[in-house]
Amino acid sequence: MIQKIDHIGIAVKSIEKARGYFENTLGLKCEGEETVESQKVKTAFYSVGEVHLELLEPTSEESAVAKFLDKNGEGVHHIAFKTDDMDSQLIQAENSGCSLINKRPVDGAGGKQVAFLHPKSTCGVLTEFCFKIE
Ligand code: CMX
């Protein structure tokens, strides 16, 4: 069901400031920015082959990313797997003992449906499943 790593989420304090590294040092091209209201974040996407990097800047102090930054500073925040069957993916995760943050998918960036698994049940890696109706 998992098709590939879709993206790696990276928490940053400011996308504007982070651009210098991703665009000038690495030479990546920003594919676009989007604010995701449901997650209280502003995002910027970069393609690296088939995988994307998603920069995450909190838009509110209540954002999960704001809490992460306060605790850890900037860095890798989550890994997102593209699935072709979100319902089965979540059932399989729950049946194998993972703790679902989202029992049902919610709206994410890029018109995708997303659902997260709690990092305490996934070897410490905040895990996202994402699905897009093509
Ligand atoms: N990766 C690994 N561990 C993490 C983590 C992360 N990104 N975020 C939190 N944790 C750990 C914490 O270190 C903490 O561990 P300890 O108890 O050992 O200290 C534990 O999980 C609980 O964390 P917390 O700081 O107390 O935060 P909360 O429990 O309030 O929230 C979580 C944690 C994962 C439930 C919350 O961040 C969440 O719901 N995340 C899913 C949604 C999300 O992250 N949205 C932003 C991205 C959106 C997008 O990609 O568009």
Side-chain angles (χ1 to χ4, degrees):
M1 292 179 295
I2 284 177
Q3 299 177 308
K4 62 172 188 172
I5 290 179
D6 185 81
H7 64 267
I8 298 168
I10 300 172
V12 297
K13 291 179 188 152
S14 158
I15 286 175
E16 215 39 59
K17 287 188 182 148
R19 279 179 184 282
Y21 172 63
F22 290 94
E23 296 178 22
N24 303 333
T25 308
L26 297 185
L28 301 176
K29 193 167 175 295
C30 183
E31 296 173 324
E33 291 188 2
E34 182 182 346
T35 296
V36 184
E37 302 291 349
S38 65
Q39 301 290 334
K40 299 187 177 72
V41 289
K42 184 170 148 189
T43 65
F45 276 90
Y46 296 85
S47 277
V48 188
E50 278 219 325
V51 179
H52 303 271
L53 300 181
E54 178 189 35
L55 304 190
L56 297 158
E57 176 188 321
T59 56
S60 150
E61 269 309 305
E62 282 107 63
S63 164
V65 175
K67 193 168 184 184
F68 179 90
L69 285 168
D70 280 349
K71 208 165 168 180
N72 308 286
E74 296 183 315
V76 172
H77 181 261
H78 67 267
I79 294 181
F81 296 98
K82 182 179 180 191
T83 177
D84 60 0
D85 186 344
M86 181 66 94
D87 290 342
S88 303
Q89 202 76 58
L90 289 175
I91 289 167
Q92 180 171 301
E94 191 161 42
N95 287 347
S96 63
C98 289
S99 164
L100 309 188
I101 293 172
N102 306 105
K103 289 207 177 278
R104 299 231 167 273
V106 296
D107 292 338
K112 289 178 184 152
Q113 292 285 295
V114 304
F116 287 88
L117 306 182
H118 200 285
K120 289 291 170 193
S121 64
T122 58
C123 305
V125 180
L126 176 59
T127 299
E128 174 187 329
F129 294 134
C130 62
F131 173 79
K132 186 162 189 185
I133 301 167
E134 305 289 353

